[in-house]
Amino acid sequence: VKGSSTSSAPKPKPTPTPTPSPTPQPGAPGVDAQIIDFSFSPGDLSIPVGSTVTWRNSGEAPHTVTADDGSFDSDMIGAGGSWARTFQAAGTFAYLCAYHPDMAGVVTVTATSAGAAPAAVPAASSPPGPAPETTAVAARTAGADGELLVRVGIVGLLIGGALLLFVRAVGGSAGREEELSAR
C-alpha cells in the first residue's frame, strides 16, 4: 500500500519590512534639498515657520551649509552625509558653502497662522544682537583659507627639498664620473 501523500500548503515568501522614514512633527513639514557637485538644489527655498530643511550631499566633495549671518553652520558634510535645521523664526536666511563660497542659496521662512495667508517676509533678517556663532564661523572660514595656504606652503617646501636632494644626488654622481674618467 502506497502511503497517501499529504501536501502542505507552500510557505509564503517573506516580504521585506519597509524601513520607516522619519516623519516631521505636525505643523512642521520637512523639506529635502540636495547638494549636487558644486550647487544647492533647489538654491532658493520657501518654507513656513517650524519647517525642517535637510540638506543631503549627493556629490563627491565635502561641503557646508553656513548662514551668511552666522546663525547656523553645519560643519563639514561628507559625500553621502546630511544635515538638518529647523527654522523657528520668519525671515530670509542666505547661506553658502564655506569651502566653496560660489555655492549659495536662500531659505525664506514665512510666518503663517491657521487659515491665514502668509505674512509679508522682510527682505533680510538678522538675529537680535550679534550671534554667538558669528565670530566662530568667520574665524573657521578664515582659518580654512589660512590652513589651506599653510598646507600648500608645506607641500611646496617638501617638493622643493626633494628636488634639491635629487639635483645634488644626480649632480654629485655626474661629477664623480668626470673625476673617475679624468684619472
Side-chain angles (χ1 to χ4, degrees), residues 142-158:
D145 291 342
E147 184 179 326
L148 178 62
L149 289 174
V150 168
R151 288 182 181 191
V152 168
I154 290 171
V155 169
L157 286 173
L158 290 172

Side-chain angles (χ1 to χ4, degrees), residues 40 42 69 92 131 136 146 165 167 177 179:
F40 295 104
D69 67 3
T92 301
L165 289 173
V167 168
E177 287 178 16
E179 260 183 49

